[in-house]
Amino acid sequence: MANLSFLFKTAIRDSRKDLNKLFMFMSSIILGIAALVAINSFNYNLVKDIDSQAASLLGADLAITGNKPLGEKLTPVLDSLQAETAEELEIFSMAYIAKTDASQFVMIKAMEGGFPFYGKIKTDPEQAYLDYQDKPHALVDHSLMLEHDLQVGDSIKLGIRSFYISGRLKSAFGSIAASTSFAPGIYIGKPFIEETKLIQPGSMVNYAYYYKLSDPTSAEQWKDDHRESFRNESLRIQTVEGQKENLDEAFSSLNNFLNLIALVSLLLGCIGVASSVLIYIKNKVPSIAVFRCLGMKSGQAFSIYLIQILGLGIVSVLIGATIGSLIQIYLPVILKDFLPYEVVMDLSWKAILEGVLVGLVMTMLFALAPLVSIRNISPLRTLRTSDDEVTKRDYLKLSIYGLIIVGIFLFLLRLTSEISSAAIFTIGLLAAFLVLYLVSLFIMWAVKRFFPSSWSFVFRQGLANLYRPNNQTQTLLVSIGLGTAILTTLFIIQGLILTNVDSMDAGNQPNMVLYGIEKNQADRLTTITEDYDMPVIQQAPIVTMRVAGWKGKTKEEWLSDTTRVARRWAINREARVSYRDYLESDEKLLRGEFVGEVNPGDSIFISLDEGYAESLSVDLGDEIVWNVQGTLITTFVSSIREIEFRSMRTRFFILFPKGVLENAPQFLVFITKSPDSETTAKYRSAVVKAFPNISVVDLGMILSTLNDILTKVSYIVKFMAGFSILTGLIVLISSLLLSKFQRIKESVLLRTIGASRMQILKINATEYALLGGLAAATGILISLVASYFLSTRQFELEFDLNPLPILFIFLFVTGLTVFIGLLNSREVIQKSPLEVLRKEM
Amino acid sequence: MDYILSVEKLSRVYKSGSRELTVLNDINFDIQQQETVSIVGPSGSGKTTLLGLCAGLDSPTRGTVSLMGQQINGLSEDERALLRNKHIGFIFQNFQLIPTLTAIENVMIPLELQGSKQAKSKAKGLLDRVGLKDRMTHYPNQLSGGEQQRVSIARAFCNDPSILFADEPTGNLDEDTGLSIEQFLFDLNAERGTTLIIVTHDLELANKTNRIIKLKGGKVVADEKSLIQAQV
Ligand SMILES: Nc1ncnc2c1ncn2[C@@H]1O[C@H](COP(=O)(O)OP(=O)(O)OP(=O)(O)O)[C@@H](O)[C@H]1O
Ligand SMILES: [Mg+2]
């Protein structure tokens, strides 16, 4: 017992004077944990944020839609939901505008309830949306008002009822609205739709019921439970999850990236911990030998330093977690004016706890590795500083290395939730470590072997420092190299992601889709479009058809087959098929061969989207029979494509070759981009005037939501990467600062013997330049390999490299190393040798 | 006869690569309680190596060392540590104080390791005894070489060792300081009956001990009563 208190006392006494040497140890942990906690909570907040963004696309957690109202059977089912509700009736009709004595085809939405529950309806004046449902007021589409020169305060007649225009509709809610609307929208309160007398038996009305659940996460389960009974009533259930899938590709990259940063911060912290403890213990060897000489057992000596490291480690972890939490609370406040959007940051206890736990375990394992070698320090060192201590195989040390690998693997497993990814990452990290270690061995061997003995004294000294006993070649090469590798990888990946986000730039996406164009109208339409200086971005023929059978059985046979795996939606959907003899730039051939054209009478080879093929459970070579408006056409799957979600183009799951469908009944889809809403309005009326059959859909609202999300994504990527890069730099700098203690005695001795300041500086500069240059070069090479694999495998981005920043990183790391190396010798140069020796002893 | 230290057929061979270097070759001697012994010999003759073996800091290639009747070859490192803590004191040429601990903390270590309650008072008494009453809370780098060596003497006597090993205790000190250090050593030896084993180049110091063991080329070439002893 007395013994334990002695160990504690000694641990504290011994650390008193050496806290400065443990500063780096502490700062590595603090920064690493702070980053981990901040990133984790950022991540959680982001997920929440994206959830609510996706929710604002739908406007609710759950939506039931269909072309008839909820029947008696289903109403009780929905009434049992714990939810806030809203209802919508949608009807297409002509509106009469007295001001211009014009009629306009419009989409009327009669609303009841606080929809949208998520997101906002933007009107001008802003508060117009607050009370429009209670009075005979209408919110009218902005472009329609422009077109007819309407002002707020004017009136518009729907059916037999006149409405006061109380607001200009700037952006509406809900993808349902946007995606089905090819006529400008008008919103009124639901009670007033009766008075319009527009709803007559046989008129086409769409009904929607929106729910904001008290437990939003239950939506998906609810959908699964009730899908069948709703389908039987021809009603569709929509959830946020379904909306999110569209954006998934963009977000999975972001999520991967945040995970990468979390990993990077942790690893940087661990590198800092390992190298600082290693150097600290090296400094302690003489003291430990004396302790041993005086009769301290090896376990006791180990305990003293374990107590120190553990104590400071825990304190640092707590400080780090606090700083991380403060960052997540205060950063948005500080940055409020600079942020392009409003961030709501909640303190995430889960993130904090996770950070503390992971941080404590990992940093302690990394600290333990150098710490256990204390057990093997011989008391004989008091009599003689010998380096050739017989290094027995230390099984404890080996098992700690094993635990470190397991720890990293588990951490990665939690991040990626894939055993194979976690394993590949772990092996990659080990390989990087090994490469750096081997390079350091090679350098020591090579410098010794090919020593340039004809060089001047200072260069020879600087070079010889690389392999002499007590050299820091291995420690610094590995820590600087790994640090550089990790940071450069991060830097490259960040660049790739930002480029990708830019390429998805919603502002430059096509924002108008024209449906229902007949073949002979295409040329005129092109001319009209070009008259408005708008580009024809896509023009594709669409033939609608249905699956009649596949793999030798008819659709009916399949539907009654209980072993069927094909999904019902894939079987029943009315397929919108296009035909062409090339692949678009956002399509990627995954398997098989794309057949662009077939001759009459030949077998017909089609190309399917990967997901669609999966849902229909068909693969290359399988036969599919289509019912093209009464005619059966037999086809074979010859290729499987992946269609990237990069642009707003129409995506065709099923693609026929040229030479088959040319004479089938078809219409064209046209995609273009309008510069502003005024042009949109004018263009739309020009098109509708010329071809009343054509529907013009404005995607502007969806795009502006998407744009918001992408702005956030790129902002978060930049911010988090910046944070992590800062952590890395501080770890690099402090690991270099620590190396001061290694060379100080030698430098002082040289000074004592009579070396000039300049000579000392040159000796150190040579050593550090070589170390820094080599470590940076090796690290960058590793990062190139790593980021190539990361970008192509994990992030599914195209690998592309800008050599200039890479060169800059090389120069920067090398320069930094030399600079700090020289900074380290500052004391030797400025003070008297005696003073320095006494102080650093 | 009970010897406090017996060395039998002791050899130490260093291997460097394929070459073998025999540093100590078949050494034999016995030392009695309270004897003062100096080990002398030219540089490189193996004095320090011998001291390390006798104190249980190193393991011999062949032969045995017995301390207080116990063979130490067979003991584990930790068992030898316990032995050192209880019965052995050390003084080094370069003092070997722990730089991060104050003078008094350095002195207290051996007793604190034993869990003794009197560590502080005893350490104070010893520091007082070596004339460092006012320097107790100073760190080693705030003390002169002679002062540091006095601290290390206080530390060496703190656990009331039966045997004290000193490797050139005055080697780093000027003559006067060296003499006062020697005085402390011999006085404390007389007061407490501690066996003293001193490695030294200083023949005057050697002659103050009862017995001189001369090493040359790893062998004992002479083992005789010193001049003072012979005169008695
Ligand atoms: N670890 C080692 N490996 C190889 N040879 C060694 C080792 N340690 C000591 N020696 C050799 O053993 C011999 C004896 O060394 P030792 O230090 O015992 O001499 P010494 O008598 O104490 O000399 P000095 O009076 O100079 O201190 C020397 O020749 C030395 O080179
Ligand atoms: Mg010696």
Side-chain angles (χ1 to χ4, degrees):
Chain A
M1 228 34 242
N3 220 314
L4 201 64
S5 85
F6 163 70
L7 293 181
F8 267 95
K9 257 191 277 177
T10 312
I12 293 168
R13 284 177 191 156
D14 181 70
S15 65
R16 260 176 336 211
K17 270 198 90 190
D18 269 1
L19 274 181
N20 64 334
K21 287 178 187 159
L22 284 170
F23 173 74
M24 176 206 173
F25 167 73
M26 296 189 67
S27 57
S28 300
I29 297 185
I30 291 174
L31 281 170
I33 302 296
L36 202 62
V37 168
I39 288 163
N40 265 345
S41 60
F42 228 102
N43 216 343
Y44 289 135
N45 276 302
L46 179 78
V47 168
K48 235 172 33 191
D49 215 35
I50 286 171
D51 278 353
S52 69
Q53 285 283 353
S56 78
L57 280 180
L58 185 62
D61 296 318
L62 195 72
I64 314 285
T65 57
N67 47 25
K68 56 183 186 182
L70 280 176
E72 275 168 31
K73 234 168 82 193
L74 294 175
T75 308
V77 178
L78 285 161
D79 284 348
S80 69
L81 271 174
Q82 296 265 347
E84 197 179 324
T85 66
E87 267 182 64
E88 171 190 312
L89 256 112
E90 180 190 83
I91 185 165
F92 290 89
S93 168
M94 297 305 282
Y96 175 71
I97 296 145
K99 194 172 182 180
T100 50
D101 189 27
S103 287
Q104 165 81 44
F105 188 64
V106 294
M107 173 189 67
I108 302 164
K109 281 184 177 260
M111 311 294 303
E112 182 172 49
F115 183 82
F117 303 121
Y118 304 105
K120 241 186 204 162
I121 167 169
K122 281 186 199 139
T123 54
D124 181 20
E126 231 177 289
Q127 69 278 12
Y129 81 95
L130 289 175
D131 60 353
Y132 77 97
Q133 288 182 12
D134 313 330
K135 301 170 192 163
H137 285 181
L139 305 176
V140 179
D141 180 79
H142 176 57
S143 53
L144 185 143
M145 287 181 74
L146 274 178
E147 198 178 330
H148 294 275
D149 196 25
L150 286 169
Q151 306 298 330
V152 170
D154 290 342
S155 68
I156 189 164
K157 198 169 177 188
L158 307 173
I160 59 163
R161 179 75 158 94
S162 242
F163 286 84
Y164 170 82
I165 299 179
S166 68
R168 207 179 268 271
L169 207 54
K170 283 282 186 54
S171 94
F173 28 72
S175 59
I176 300 175
S179 59
T180 57
S181 73
F182 45 86
I186 296 178
Y187 290 77
I188 59 172
K190 191 177 162 224
F192 301 98
I193 192 77
E194 285 297 318
E195 299 174 19
T196 64
K197 297 271 187 272
L198 283 172
I199 300 182
Q200 302 294 333
S203 53
M204 279 286 290
V205 183
N206 292 316
Y207 295 85
Y209 302 87
Y210 299 105
Y211 299 89
K212 183 188 183 200
L213 305 180
S214 53
D215 173 18
T217 53
S218 64
E220 216 44 33
Q221 184 60 44
W222 195 89
K223 178 181 172 184
D224 286 346
D225 294 346
H226 295 88
R227 199 203 314 261
E228 208 64 26
S229 52
F230 277 79
R231 184 162 37 223
N232 295 338
E233 299 285 314
S234 301
L235 290 169
R236 248 178 97 203
I237 307 175
Q238 280 175 276
T239 59
V240 177
E241 207 59 33
Q243 299 293 310
K244 229 163 48 180
E245 260 159 39
N246 282 335
L247 302 164
D248 247 11
E249 216 165 300
F251 293 138
S252 80
S253 272
L254 178 66
N255 207 272
N256 274 329
F257 185 71
L258 286 178
N259 284 340
L260 180 70
I261 295 178
L263 175 69
V264 162
S265 311
L266 184 72
L267 284 180
L268 286 172
C270 289
I271 293 173
V273 165
S275 56
S276 55
V277 174
L278 191 73
I279 294 172
Y280 180 66
I281 295 304
K282 258 191 185 173
N283 275 295
K284 286 293 178 190
V285 166
S287 293
I288 293 165
V290 174
F291 278 130
R292 302 277 285 119
C293 217
L294 297 177
M296 190 178 279
K297 291 181 190 158
S298 58
Q300 291 175 315
F302 170 69
S303 305
I304 288 182
Y305 293 95
L306 183 68
I307 291 169
Q308 272 183 11
I309 294 298
L310 210 62
L312 290 177
I314 291 172
V315 170
S316 313
V317 165
L318 293 181
I319 297 177
T322 312
I323 292 180
S325 316
L326 289 180
I327 289 177
Q328 50 167 319
I329 297 171
Y330 287 110
L331 198 78
V333 180
I334 296 167
L335 292 182
K336 201 171 60 194
D337 296 339
F338 305 100
L339 288 184
Y341 64 96
E342 189 186 340
V343 219
V344 187
M345 287 288 264
D346 293 334
L347 198 64
S348 162
W349 287 107
K350 195 176 159 205
I352 295 173
L353 205 74
E354 235 177 65
V356 167
L357 219 72
V358 172
L360 208 59
V361 171
M362 288 311 280
T363 52
M364 283 310 117
L365 279 178
F366 270 85
L368 266 180
L371 216 53
V372 291
S373 49
I374 288 179
R375 289 156 45 260
N376 300 326
I377 294 173
S378 159
L380 198 61
R381 278 180 178 262
T382 45
L383 295 176
R384 187 187 331 273
T385 39
S386 61
D387 276 305
D388 53 16
E389 224 142 85
V390 208
T391 35
K392 291 178 293 184
R393 186 158 289 157
D394 187 341
Y395 290 104
L396 184 60
K397 198 165 192 169
L398 288 180
S399 31
I400 287 173
Y401 289 148
L403 280 179
I404 287 179
I405 295 172
V406 172
I408 291 180
F409 175 79
L410 288 179
F411 182 69
L412 281 164
L413 193 61
R414 198 193 70 78
L415 289 187
T416 61
S417 16
E418 257 175 64
I419 292 190
S420 60
S421 301
I424 290 171
F425 266 99
T426 314
I427 292 169
L429 277 168
L430 279 178
F433 181 85
L434 209 70
V435 165
L436 283 162
Y437 187 73
L438 290 180
V439 166
S440 71
L441 288 187
F442 172 77
I443 280 309
M444 282 159 50
W445 172 83
V447 170
K448 215 162 162 178
R449 172 77 179 71
F450 304 107
F451 196 74
S453 34
S454 59
W455 287 17
S456 77
F457 169 74
V458 289
F459 285 120
R460 276 185 286 128
Q461 277 289 320
L463 273 180
N465 278 347
L466 290 175
Y467 65 80
R468 283 188 183 148
N470 232 2
N471 66 67
Q472 52 195 348
T473 307
Q474 284 173 16
T475 333
L476 283 189
L477 206 76
V478 171
S479 60
I480 298 177
L482 267 186
T484 311
I486 289 171
L487 286 183
T488 314
T489 307
L490 192 66
F491 187 80
I492 295 175
I493 298 287
Q494 180 211 7
L496 291 178
I497 288 184
L498 289 182
T499 317
N500 193 47
V501 168
D502 277 353
S503 80
M504 289 182 44
D505 180 5
N508 283 320
Q509 291 282 351
N511 55 9
M512 299 199 86
V513 183
L514 286 73
Y515 288 114
I517 306 155
E518 278 159 31
K519 240 180 156 181
N520 56 21
Q521 297 173 327
D523 291 344
R524 247 322 284 295
L525 189 60
T526 309
T527 319
I528 296 175
T529 311
E530 281 165 358
D531 281 349
Y532 282 88
D533 270 342
M534 286 160 49
V536 178
I537 294 168
Q538 191 188 26
Q539 176 186 339
I542 294 180
V543 179
T544 56
M545 54 182 77
R546 285 178 187 279
V547 178
W550 69 101
K551 292 205 274 195
K553 286 202 217 175
T554 66
K555 173 177 155 187
E556 287 69 30
E557 283 167 350
W558 276 115
L559 283 175
S560 56
D561 182 347
T562 47
T563 62
R564 161 179 64 90
V565 280
R567 305 277 298 273
R568 191 180 275 265
W569 72 263
I571 302 170
N572 276 338
R573 90 189 240 130
E574 185 185 51
R576 302 192 319 161
V577 176
S578 190
Y579 58 89
R580 51 180 140 88
D581 57 1
Y582 58 93
L583 289 178
E584 298 271 10
S585 60
D586 55 0
E587 293 176 318
K588 204 164 85 190
L589 190 65
L590 291 179
R591 279 173 287 140
E593 190 188 340
F594 177 71
V595 178
E597 190 162 5
V598 295
N599 293 318
D602 288 355
S603 297
I604 301 162
F605 295 108
I606 59 169
S607 174
L608 297 185
D609 167 70
E610 190 187 20
Y612 180 73
E614 231 166 72
S615 299
L616 201 59
S617 174
V618 294
D619 209 339
L620 290 182
D622 286 343
E623 176 204 74
I624 306 179
V625 181
W626 303 92
N627 179 344
V628 185
Q629 281 137 48
T631 316
L632 291 185
I633 299 181
T634 304
T635 60
F636 299 93
V637 180
S638 78
S639 67
I640 305 284
R641 283 165 307 142
E642 181 188 323
I643 310 171
E644 285 172 32
F645 178 73
R646 274 225 191 135
S647 61
M648 276 292 162
R649 291 159 180 272
T650 314
R651 299 192 275 177
F652 293 105
F653 289 167
I654 304 145
L655 199 55
F656 269 57
K658 270 188 161 179
V660 184
L661 297 174
E662 274 76 358
N663 294 318
Q666 59 191 273
F667 60 90
L668 300 178
V669 61
F670 227 74
I671 290 182
T672 179
K673 177 179 177 358
S674 133
D676 50 56
S677 53
E678 203 165 330
T679 314
T680 306
K682 284 185 185 149
Y683 175 73
R684 176 155 57 192
S685 65
V687 170
V688 175
K689 200 183 265 167
F691 308 112
N693 62 310
I694 294 180
S695 333
V696 182
V697 175
D698 182 3
L699 296 176
M701 297 163 202
I702 283 197
L703 283 173
S704 81
T705 310
L706 188 65
N707 202 11
D708 275 0
I709 298 177
L710 293 181
T711 310
K712 288 186 195 187
V713 168
S714 69
Y715 169 75
I716 292 169
V717 164
K718 279 184 204 153
F719 172 77
M720 290 275 90
F723 195 78
S724 196
I725 285 173
L726 196 72
T727 314
L729 280 183
I730 293 177
V731 166
L732 278 189
I733 289 172
S734 35
S735 102
L736 280 166
L737 280 176
L738 260 193
S739 69
K740 153 177 157 179
F741 303 104
Q742 203 90 324
R743 286 278 166 257
I744 207 147
K745 257 189 197 161
E746 275 179 49
S747 300
V748 170
L749 272 172
L750 281 171
R751 278 272 280 151
T752 319
I753 298 171
S756 73
R757 285 160 195 224
M758 208 52 209
Q759 280 171 321
I760 301 265
L761 281 182
K762 275 186 186 159
I763 290 172
N764 285 335
T766 309
E767 184 188 359
Y768 281 99
L770 261 165
L771 274 178
L774 256 160
T778 319
I780 285 172
L781 280 179
I782 290 174
S783 79
L784 293 185
V785 176
S787 48
Y788 174 76
F789 281 106
L790 268 175
S791 60
T792 52
R793 297 284 154 83
Q794 198 72 21
F795 289 93
E796 288 170 10
L797 298 170
E798 221 159 286
F799 185 68
D800 183 28
L801 206 62
N802 189 353
L804 221 61
I806 306 285
L807 184 72
F808 172 77
I809 291 177
F810 173 78
L811 293 178
F812 180 75
V813 172
T814 314
L816 188 75
T817 314
V818 174
F819 175 73
I820 295 177
L822 295 184
L823 207 68
N824 284 345
S825 33
R826 182 194 47 184
E827 209 175 356
V828 177
I829 284 167
Q830 285 170 351
K831 294 186 182 157
S832 84
L834 184 70
E835 210 178 323
V836 179
L837 265 187
R838 280 204 166 222
K839 189 157 159 257
E840 302 299 343
M841 230 298 282
Chain B
M1 182 86 223
D2 266 359
Y3 296 112
I4 190 157
L5 174 68
S6 307
V7 170
E8 241 176 287
K9 300 193 177 131
L10 193 68
S11 296
R12 182 67 168 99
V13 180
Y14 284 113
K15 274 205 192 85
S16 60
S18 56
R19 285 182 47 226
E20 287 199 348
L21 182 66
T22 308
V23 176
L24 291 177
N25 193 358
D26 196 26
I27 308 275
N28 295 285
F29 59 78
D30 299 306
I31 289 166
Q32 285 172 1
Q33 179 74 43
Q34 229 183 327
E35 233 180 324
T36 54
V37 182
S38 50
I39 299 174
V40 298
S43 182
S45 54
K47 303 183 293 290
T48 300
T49 310
L50 179 59
L51 191 81
L53 285 171
C54 291
L57 300 179
D58 194 11
S59 304
T61 313
R62 280 184 297 277
T64 59
V65 175
S66 304
L67 263 170
M68 341 250 327
Q70 188 176 17
Q71 248 198 36
I72 61 169
N73 311 30
L75 300 181
S76 74
E77 213 349 272
D78 281 344
E79 287 166 328
R80 279 187 269 159
L82 203 65
L83 193 76
R84 285 199 294 273
N85 182 239
K86 286 225 176 90
H87 305 295
I88 302 178
F90 283 100
I91 294 172
F92 304 95
Q93 178 172 6
N94 50 359
F95 325 134
Q96 297 284 18
L97 297 178
I98 308 237
T100 48
L101 302 185
T102 60
I104 184 151
E105 285 166 358
N106 263 289
V107 177
M108 279 156 52
I109 300 171
L111 280 182
E112 284 193 308
L113 266 174
Q114 295 173 6
S116 158
K117 293 258 186 300
Q118 288 93 47
K120 194 153 203 166
S121 57
K122 207 153 180 196
K124 268 187 184 158
L126 272 161
L127 279 173
D128 195 8
R129 175 73 185 76
V130 295
L132 289 174
K133 203 174 156 189
D134 304 328
R135 316 298 301 265
M136 296 208 201
T137 55
H138 283 69
Y139 287 97
N141 62 9
Q142 297 168 317
L143 300 171
S144 76
E147 287 161 344
Q148 288 187 49
Q149 195 62 305
R150 269 141 72 193
V151 174
S152 84
I153 287 176
R155 185 177 68 185
F157 280 99
C158 194
N159 58 343
D160 292 315
S162 320
I163 184 165
L164 190 141
F165 293 97
D167 191 5
E168 306 193 23
T170 57
N172 276 358
L173 304 170
D174 67 71
E175 208 179 321
D176 288 347
T177 318
L179 281 174
S180 75
I181 292 291
E182 286 165 18
Q183 207 50 53
F184 280 124
L185 273 180
F186 287 111
D187 288 353
L188 285 163
N189 159 257
E191 283 167 25
R192 295 157 193 250
T194 314
T195 311
L196 267 188
I197 298 183
I198 305 174
V199 167
T200 184
H201 283 275
D202 181 352
L203 280 180
E204 264 178 62
L205 170 58
N207 275 324
K208 289 178 192 160
T209 58
N210 316 133
R211 180 174 162 191
I212 300 178
I213 296 175
K214 271 199 185 127
L215 283 188
K216 198 170 180 183
K219 288 201 161 198
V220 178
V221 292
D223 183 350
E224 53 206 17
K225 301 269 187 252
S226 70
L227 290 175
I228 297 175
Q229 210 59 23
Q231 282 163 11
V232 173

